[in-house]
Every structure is written in C-alpha cells, then in structure tokens.
Amino acid sequence: MRYAKRGRLRFTSHRDIARTFERALRRAGVPMAYSQGFSPHPKVSWVGAAPTGVASEAEYVEVQVVDRVDPAALRTALDAVLPPGLDVVEVVEAAGGTLPERIEASAWQVELPGVSPERLTEAVTAFLAAESVEVERLTKDGRKVIDVRPAVVSAEVRLRARTEHEPTHVRTHSSDAGHDARDLSQPCGILVTVVRQTTPTVRPDDVLSALRVVADLVPPVPAKATRMAQGRLDEEGRLVDPLAPDRVAEV
C-alpha cells in the first residue's frame, strides 16, 4: 500500500501512525496474517517511515493476508475508518519480492518561507560544488557528525510547490483549512532534492543544516518538508515507482 501523511498528522509519531493503521485494518475486517507464539502480531511491515514533523505523499506498508482481497475495496474500506490526513493512495496485490528491495532513495520538497529563491539557489549551488559537508545531529547517544553531501543525488530550486502527487479523494476538516497555507506575499524558496537512503539516514533537516554550513542560510521560520516519492534510482538518477511491477502483474 501507498499512503499519505498530511496536515496535522505529520506531527504524529510513526509508532502512533502504526497503531492507528493496524486498528483500521481490524475495523475494516481485513483477513490479516498473524505471527506465531505467545503474543501474535499482525504481519504488517513498514518501509522507511518519514520522521515526525514531516509530511509525505509516498509512505509504504506491506500487509500479509490469509485470504485474497480486492485492492480497490480494501482502499475504500480503510479510508472510511482512517482519520483525515492519513490517506490511502493506492493498494496493489504484491507480485513477489519485497518493497525494501525496490526503495533506495526519496524525493523531498522543502518549502522555506522567508527565503527567496535566489538566496536558496546560491546556497544549493555552493552545496553541490562541495565534495563533503559535515553537520552535527543530536541523537539519544549524544552529538553525531554525518557527511550529508554523498547522500544527495540531486538538488534544485523551484518557484512553486508541486501538487500533482495529491489524489483527488483527500479528506479534510474545516479546522484544518489553511493550516499549511503560506503567505504568498512573502518570498518562499522551494528546495526539491533526491536523497539516497544511507546509514545513518540523511533527513531533510540535515540537508538544511548543510546549507547553513556552506552558505550561512538560516530560514527565519521553520521549513515544511514533504516526501513526494520513493523508489530505486534509474541510470539518469530518477526514481522508479516501487509499485510498478505489481501493476504490471495485475494486468
């Protein structure tokens, strides 16, 4: 399954997202497979969940079932019981293999209110020209230094946010209206970057820290990051849809 995490739901931890999703699977009557042992758990596998505070249009999860289900009916049933902002985008029957084998990079869109596209372009140019850009990350084990540059496959600046990935069945509450809206009278640079999934993982905030290191770029307000896609990289550095092999098998 491909699902999206939007609006206020981006501030929800992955653990809570997983609990909500598994509860929705039970409420929707999905015939899930369970592990063996004294404490059986549903066989649900999450693939590279987005960090807390980050929105996403391309999260993936695998669900094992004991009986064949209709993908379209499953999507409808899950959307009926999931909260607004946690939206199922696509459901396909697996054709073989696993999703982690088909995912090695993510495409991110980062909106930086108060930063002009020209200033952001200068910072991105300086970053791409560098061979190594080290930043510090605070972890539970203390501060850790990571090199961001090798993980970044590409980076460019756009003048407006991309919205074509959003499906037409997005559900919203009136209380959410305008929650993610930005002031169009203010400059807003938009960074679009493809980042390879490495160890340790390089996140959007690490890329912003790298821009601060190379160009002293410090956004006046928090940036909004959205994962737009995941997949394997082709020879031209573009992402290949991880569900494409399953759609071919269905046909």
Side-chain angles (χ1 to χ4, degrees):
M1 299 183 194
R2 175 183 170 186
Y3 69 96
K5 184 175 68 166
R6 304 182 173 116
R8 290 181 171 86
L9 265 293
R10 73 176 185 268
F11 299 110
T12 305
S13 70
H14 173 63
R15 179 175 295 181
D16 288 336
I17 291 287
R19 289 172 178 169
T20 301
F21 212 100
E22 290 178 11
R23 186 161 53 245
L25 288 168
R26 289 193 294 269
R27 291 182 61 189
V30 179
M32 293 181 290
Y34 283 80
S35 62
Q36 303 297 314
F38 292 103
S39 181
H41 296 284
K43 292 187 176 181
V44 179
S45 301
W46 303 89
V47 184
T52 303
V54 172
S56 179
E57 293 296 321
E59 297 298 285
Y60 292 91
V61 60
E62 293 179 311
V63 179
Q64 292 190 38
V65 294
V66 294
D67 295 310
R68 177 166 284 175
V69 297
D70 177 66
L74 177 56
R75 174 183 169 184
T76 300
L78 282 177
D79 258 348
V81 294
L82 284 169
L86 193 58
D87 303 304
V88 179
V89 178
E90 184 175 8
V91 178
V92 296
E93 183 175 328
T98 62
L99 278 177
E101 297 172 345
R102 307 177 191 174
I103 294 177
E104 64 175 333
S106 295
W108 297 95
Q109 174 180 279
V110 186
E111 299 179 45
L112 294 92
V115 177
S116 69
E118 294 78 15
R119 178 72 178 97
L120 180 56
T121 298
E122 293 175 0
V124 170
T125 301
F127 172 79
L128 293 176
E131 294 184 0
S132 174
V133 183
E134 293 185 337
V135 303
E136 279 193 349
R137 178 194 294 172
L138 183 61
T139 70
K140 61 181 181 180
D141 298 320
R143 292 190 177 277
K144 189 172 189 177
V145 176
I146 61 174
D147 188 358
V148 176
R149 183 62 187 90
V152 177
V153 178
S154 64
E156 63 181 37
V157 177
R158 290 187 178 150
L159 298 181
R160 63 183 181 85
R162 296 177 63 185
T163 59
E164 61 264 32
H165 286 280
E166 296 186 9
T168 57
H169 73 297
V170 176
R171 298 164 292 142
T172 59
H173 279 167
S174 59
S175 59
D176 292 333
H179 177 73
D180 292 323
R182 56 185 173 87
D183 185 354
L184 297 180
S185 66
Q186 298 297 320
C188 182
I190 299 170
L191 171 66
V192 177
T193 180
V194 175
V195 181
R196 187 177 284 107
Q197 296 181 1
T198 57
T199 303
T201 302
V202 172
R203 304 176 304 204
D205 56 340
D206 297 319
V207 177
L208 295 181
S209 295
L211 296 182
R212 183 172 64 247
V213 170
V214 298
D216 196 29
L217 179 68
V218 181
V221 297
K224 179 193 172 185
T226 303
R227 175 148 57 191
M228 304 303 294
Q230 295 191 70
R232 294 193 68 83
L233 294 164
D234 64 14
E235 295 180 354
E236 298 181 4
R238 295 174 300 188
L239 292 176
V240 178
D241 186 347
L243 299 186
D246 305 302
R247 294 194 204 97
V248 171
E250 286 181 347
V251 174

